Amino acid sequence: MAIRNIVKVGDDILRKKSRPVEKFDKRLWQLLDDMRETMYLNNGVGLAAVQVGILRRVIVVDCSQDRSDYLELVNPEIIDTEGEQREAEGCLSLPGESGITLRPAVVRVKAQDRNGNWCVYKGEGLKARCFCHEIDHLDGVLFTDREIHEAVEITENKGNDK
Ligand code: NI
């Protein structure tokens, strides 16, 4: 296993669409192992392959406090959502930045495991946000594209009125 460098905002690759994984081989397993290690080293709750420079539809996630809920999702697709949530979000590719986004409260995601078997995962709260955030990366979308600015605008208007 090896730690990989995380691509930072400004690099065009983050805006590209990732391609589906077709081969469930040692190369994929190496990528997954490296992504896991890289996510944990950087104290992330999720990481998409594009963030280590690989345009393949692969994400890893662990939203637990004690790093006990590790998941790897290959070719993930959101199949169902419920409700909504507005919470703060950040990204390892945008260090030091955070913003409020609108996300579903609950999501169900269909994905393949490292051997190509399809599974369905359910995420609520942080895990739902994380699934959506990482799957967005696979389509070149960053959380800043989904930021809600209403609160900021209200504050600014108040300032202008004075
Ligand atoms: Ni991110």
Side-chain angles (χ1 to χ4, degrees):
M1 287 195 285
I3 301 296
R4 302 207 186 187
N5 288 327
I6 294 182
V7 175
K8 301 297 191 308
V9 68
D11 191 318
D12 289 345
I13 198 171
L14 289 174
R15 292 306 192 175
K16 292 186 176 159
K17 201 172 164 74
S18 296
R19 295 181 299 274
V21 169
E22 285 157 8
K23 288 184 191 163
F24 294 81
D25 56 7
K26 280 190 176 153
R27 201 166 166 192
L28 173 68
W29 302 340
Q30 181 71 62
L31 172 64
L32 284 162
D33 291 343
D34 290 356
M35 285 173 65
R36 178 180 194 268
E37 201 175 358
T38 304
M39 173 179 72
Y40 284 146
L41 182 84
N42 289 279
N43 298 313
V45 294
L47 192 68
V50 62
Q51 292 181 277
V52 294
I54 307 292
L55 283 168
R56 288 289 177 182
R57 302 189 78 83
V58 174
I59 67 173
V60 296
V61 167
D62 187 345
C63 295
S64 67
Q65 292 280 347
D66 59 354
R67 318 259 79 179
S68 62
D69 190 25
Y70 173 69
L71 297 172
E72 38 194 42
L73 285 74
V74 179
N75 299 327
E77 286 173 46
I78 294 171
I79 53 172
D80 188 34
T81 68
E82 286 171 41
E84 53 185 43
Q85 56 176 322
R86 289 170 179 77
E87 295 288 344
E89 211 166 296
C91 179
L92 292 175
S93 293
L94 289 83
E97 283 193 51
S98 69
I100 308 288
T101 58
L102 176 62
R103 299 286 192 187
V106 183
V107 296
R108 280 179 194 80
V109 178
K110 182 180 87 169
Q112 285 167 285
D113 66 15
R114 62 167 59 207
N115 297 307
N117 301 309
W118 286 97
C119 313
V120 174
Y121 302 90
K122 183 183 175 189
E124 293 181 49
L126 174 60
K127 201 165 168 182
R129 292 207 298 285
C130 192
F131 280 151
C132 293
H133 176 116
E134 301 310 332
I135 292 171
D136 268 354
H137 271 303
L138 306 181
D139 294 317
V141 175
L142 300 176
F143 83 84
T144 44
D145 302 331
R146 298 200 186 273
E147 255 185 281
I148 301 170
H149 293 288
E150 286 121 354
V152 175
E153 282 160 19
I154 290 162
T155 309
E156 283 170 359
N157 288 342
K158 272 183 186 168
N160 293 341
D161 290 340
K162 276 177 191 167

